[in-house]
Amino acid sequence: EVKPYLQLDKMIEGMMWSAEKLHGLKFEAVPAGEVSVWHPDVRVFQVLKSADNSHVGLFYLDPYARAGKRSGAWMNDHRPQEAFKSVISPIISNNSNFMKASEGEANLIGWDDANTLFHEFGHGLHGLLSKVQYPSLAGTSVRRDFVELPSQLNEHWLFAPEILNQFARHYKTNEPIPEKLLAKIVAAKNADQGFSTVEYLASAIYDMSAHTRPVAEAADPKFEKERMKSLGLPKEIEMRHRPTHFQHIYCTEGYASAYYSYLWADALTADAAEAFTEQGSMYHEETARKLRECILQVGNSIDPAVAYRNFRGRDADPQAVMRKRGFAPPK
């Protein structure tokens, strides 16, 4: 029901339009053959400042699934921005695994896919807009519980009327997505939020608990059951991942004792989005400037708590995420 209105090329056009509207960036396609790519499906864009056409960086877009490509969607920072010994512009890529349509057919994607597209582009903008001295502090080189703020926040612009009215159009009739269908999508946002939030929190609390106990104690099969019982976890809900395949916290150190990061980022995201809605528009110019200068440009050169206060004028309101997830009445 939704897919006919979500053409991949139109969604890409929409997310780039949004970046120009918010941050004054324009994306100009680089003709095939002018720069090297790792696969013919990869598209390259020169990113320029709309105000003066000055160069910002290069953006590579690798949207389609193929044999040998890893699954999922991600952003790569191939060359971080820096201004140390010389000014070096960033080279960023967004990578995903959409199915490529047959010749002459429209590439249609689902709503979750469109959301992922905007999410990864948020990471991309974080890299492109970086304005720091040292490459080790640039773009997404921030603390684990802060890196998802720009990406999760960028998802909100998919819901903006300016995007949906212009770019979510039927691939055959060019009609915009119907209001009734859009209302159903919005209403479904908070479906099963109680279940998914508790399920996630159980995993996050287990992660913290396991990494603050001796290894032998945390490895005991009884530990998980006893910890869940102590939380009062309903028997109908189990942890999202069993400990033996909880890759986030055991296969690498990235999320060890930090699995909570996604929910904390959502708390920041919800509050940051309200900074725009409080002004009556997701394209409020002054709020976008503050987001850019206080969050997106500073990388890890400023403590993230200070960076967020500089943007919002205060700490994040934890009730914002409760409102976003439907647990508290809207403002």
Side-chain angles (χ1 to χ4, degrees):
E1 194 176 1
V2 177
K3 269 191 173 183
Y5 295 93
L6 301 178
Q7 301 172 66
L8 177 57
D9 285 346
K10 293 295 289 183
M11 289 294 101
I12 292 169
E13 185 183 346
M15 74 183 191
M16 292 179 175
W17 177 90
S18 185
E20 181 167 18
K21 185 86 170 169
L22 282 166
H23 303 301
L25 299 179
K26 62 180 181 179
F27 292 72
E28 293 189 350
V30 176
E34 283 197 9
V35 296
S36 297
V37 294
W38 53 89
H39 191 275
D41 285 342
V42 176
R43 285 180 269 174
V44 186
F45 299 84
Q46 182 179 197
V47 187
L48 306 167
K49 288 183 181 179
S50 301
D52 58 9
N53 272 346
S54 59
H55 179 76
V56 173
L58 288 179
F59 178 69
Y60 285 65
L61 186 63
D62 185 0
Y64 302 121
R66 60 178 175 270
K69 187 178 180 182
R70 63 176 266 201
S71 62
W74 67 97
M75 168 267 203
N76 279 130
D77 190 352
H78 299 283
R79 185 178 75 184
Q81 173 271 333
E82 66 170 287
F84 179 35
K85 293 182 178 179
S86 61
V87 175
I88 295 178
S89 61
I91 299 175
I92 305 296
S93 72
N94 274 177
N95 312 269
S96 45
N97 276 280
F98 302 119
M99 295 307 297
K100 190 175 184 180
S102 300
E103 188 71 29
E105 294 184 2
N107 272 298
L108 303 178
I109 60 175
W111 186 265
D112 287 347
D113 293 328
N115 198 68
T116 297
L117 190 71
F118 273 69
H119 176 100
E120 295 304 331
F121 193 55
H123 285 308
L125 291 173
H126 200 181
L128 287 166
L129 288 166
S130 179
K131 196 175 181 180
V132 298
Q133 187 81 352
Y134 305 107
S136 60
L137 302 177
T140 56
S141 299
V142 297
R143 295 181 188 177
R144 182 67 69 176
D145 59 3
F146 200 66
V147 72
E148 296 295 335
L149 168 59
S151 55
Q152 292 182 191
L153 180 59
N154 203 59
E155 296 171 18
H156 285 72
W157 278 278
L158 175 58
F159 286 89
E162 295 90 339
I163 291 291
L164 295 172
N165 291 334
Q166 289 185 75
F167 303 102
R169 291 183 168 269
H170 197 281
Y171 76 105
K172 288 183 177 178
T173 66
N174 202 38
E175 289 294 315
I177 191 167
E179 288 293 332
K180 285 185 178 180
L181 181 55
L182 181 57
K184 287 168 69 175
I185 294 168
V186 172
K189 273 202 311 181
N190 290 330
D192 293 328
Q193 276 290 354
F195 182 97
S196 61
T197 302
V198 172
E199 177 195 46
Y200 175 85
L201 279 171
S203 296
I205 294 170
Y206 168 85
D207 170 40
M208 281 282 196
S209 301
H211 283 95
T212 52
R213 300 291 198 284
V215 173
E217 182 183 344
D220 189 328
K222 295 178 182 177
F223 176 73
E224 177 198 353
K225 290 183 179 180
E226 291 172 354
R227 190 69 186 95
M228 294 303 104
K229 185 178 179 181
S230 72
L231 291 175
L233 185 70
K235 61 181 177 59
E236 294 83 4
I237 303 178
E238 294 184 342
M239 283 185 7
R240 180 173 295 183
H241 307 285
R242 313 306 311 162
T244 50
H245 65 85
F246 202 164
Q247 295 187 31
H248 268 74
I249 68 170
Y250 286 131
C251 288
T252 67
E253 294 182 356
Y255 283 95
S257 73
Y259 193 64
Y260 74 89
S261 300
Y262 290 102
L263 186 56
W264 176 241
D266 202 28
L268 295 176
T269 297
D271 187 68
E274 287 187 354
F276 285 90
T277 56
E278 286 165 6
Q279 300 300 326
S281 171
M282 288 302 291
Y283 291 96
H284 186 258
E285 189 173 335
E286 176 60 15
T287 307
R289 181 194 65 78
K290 289 173 69 177
L291 173 67
R292 188 166 57 253
E293 294 182 359
C294 299
I295 303 290
L296 299 175
Q297 290 181 348
V298 301
N300 204 32
S301 65
I302 295 176
D303 184 280
V306 175
Y308 193 84
R309 290 187 202 110
N310 290 343
F311 165 61
R312 201 67 169 99
R314 55 166 175 74
D315 289 330
D317 175 9
Q319 286 300 307
V321 72
M322 300 295 281
R323 289 188 285 270
K324 178 187 176 185
R325 294 184 175 223
F327 302 145
K331 272 188 170 181

